[in-house]
Amino acid sequence: MTPERSKVLQATAALILAVDLPHPVRVAIDGPDCAGQTQFAEELAPLLEKSGRQVIVATIDGFHRPKAERAARGAESPDGYFHDSFQYPALMSALLDPLGPGGSLEFRRAVFDFRTDSAVDSPVEKAAPNAILLFEGLFLLRSELRGRWDFGVFLDIPFEEVLVRGIRRNTPFQGEEKARRVFTVRYIPGQELYFERDDPKARADVVVSNEDPETPRMEARVR
């Protein structure tokens, strides 16, 4: 890991640890497709664990809607991508609300497996009152989830870079032509809808420019 990346991760961890609440701190790690949310969460977790607090890592991939619902507006619809991809009521009831004010602290990390297109009965777990949830994914700082996050991180990369990374990621199982089309027609326009409606960068506590993962740059806001 480069010194620049380590510095950003350490600074983000310090800001999260400074959040003082009587319930677990629920952290959203948001960003467009291929911005590096999963890696950021995985690298941030051990830094937070050094504090001795329980760290719960989960992903929006555990809260997909069934494939038929995701494609109801058309397989290439950007509106469908933005509005129909994930089960937000289930995310709130299974994970975010139990860890929030007055919550039971009993949570589930997932309710659906998009690979098998079926519901999953993930185990019920118990969080410590001072636990930290790192939840990574897409469209997290949207209006429907307002009030469910205690700290927000947004990984920012240009849409041109989203396309480059997306083609590289999807080509092995889609082919280059289909990979380029799905990002050009559905994924990037869906993110543009999100940016226009919800302005996630303005809602984040930390914005990390992650175009070059080796030399990220961080902007933190005081709230």
Side-chain angles (χ1 to χ4, degrees), residues 44-46 48-49 51 53-57 109 131-134:
L44 186 59
L48 297 170
E49 288 170 344
S51 69
R53 293 166 66 176
Q54 177 190 15
V55 177
I56 302 159
V57 180
R109 298 185 198 227
I132 300 170
L133 169 67
L134 295 182

Side-chain angles (χ1 to χ4, degrees), residues 199-216:
D199 195 5
K201 286 192 284 187
R203 294 184 177 183
D205 298 281
V206 167
V207 176
V208 176
S209 176
N210 204 40
E211 183 174 3
D212 180 359
E214 299 300 311
T215 57

Side-chain angles (χ1 to χ4, degrees), residues 45-83:
L47 300 180
L48 297 170
E49 288 170 344
K50 288 180 180 179
S51 69
R53 293 166 66 176
Q54 177 190 15
V55 177
I56 302 159
V57 180
T59 174
I60 194 65
D61 284 342
F63 295 89
H64 273 84
R65 294 175 70 178
K67 184 176 182 180
E69 296 179 14
R70 301 199 305 270
R73 305 186 202 215
E76 295 186 342
S77 168
D79 288 277
Y81 184 51
F82 176 43
H83 293 291

Side-chain angles (χ1 to χ4, degrees), residues 141-191:
L141 299 177
R142 62 191 298 142
S143 300
E144 293 88 338
L145 298 177
R146 186 175 294 177
R148 259 68 181 205
W149 304 115
D150 305 302
F151 194 92
V153 178
F154 189 87
L155 301 185
D156 189 27
I157 65 172
F159 287 132
E160 295 82 2
E161 181 66 14
V162 170
L163 180 60
V164 170
R165 296 184 189 182
I167 292 172
R168 183 169 62 239
R169 184 191 72 184
N170 286 22
T171 291
F173 57 89
Q174 276 188 315
E176 183 176 345
E177 183 177 348
K178 287 186 178 179
R180 181 181 299 276
R181 180 166 181 82
V182 73
F183 274 89
T184 302
V185 175
R186 179 173 168 91
Y187 293 165
I188 291 175
Q191 287 287 339

Side-chain angles (χ1 to χ4, degrees), residues 16-139:
I16 293 170
L17 290 170
V19 178
D20 185 16
L21 293 170
H23 59 80
V25 177
R26 300 163 297 176
V27 180
I29 301 177
D30 193 12
D33 300 86
C34 304
Q37 297 95 311
T38 302
Q39 180 183 3
F40 197 87
E42 290 174 349
E43 293 174 346
L44 186 59
L47 300 180
L48 297 170
E49 288 170 344
K50 288 180 180 179
S51 69
R53 293 166 66 176
Q54 177 190 15
V55 177
I56 302 159
V57 180
T59 174
I60 194 65
D61 284 342
F63 295 89
H64 273 84
R65 294 175 70 178
K67 184 176 182 180
E69 296 179 14
R70 301 199 305 270
R73 305 186 202 215
E76 295 186 342
S77 168
D79 288 277
Y81 184 51
F82 176 43
H83 293 291
D84 303 332
S85 288
F86 303 108
Q87 303 184 47
Y88 298 112
L91 170 59
M92 290 184 278
S93 64
L95 183 58
L96 300 183
D97 289 351
L99 301 185
S104 67
L105 299 178
E106 295 184 345
F107 67 93
R108 296 171 62 208
R109 298 185 198 227
V111 300
F112 196 83
D113 186 342
F114 72 93
R115 298 170 186 83
T116 61
D117 199 35
S118 60
V120 295
D121 187 19
S122 59
V124 175
E125 303 177 63
K126 184 82 171 185
N130 69 340
I132 300 170
L133 169 67
L134 295 182
F135 191 85
E136 60 91 5
L138 307 169
F139 305 136

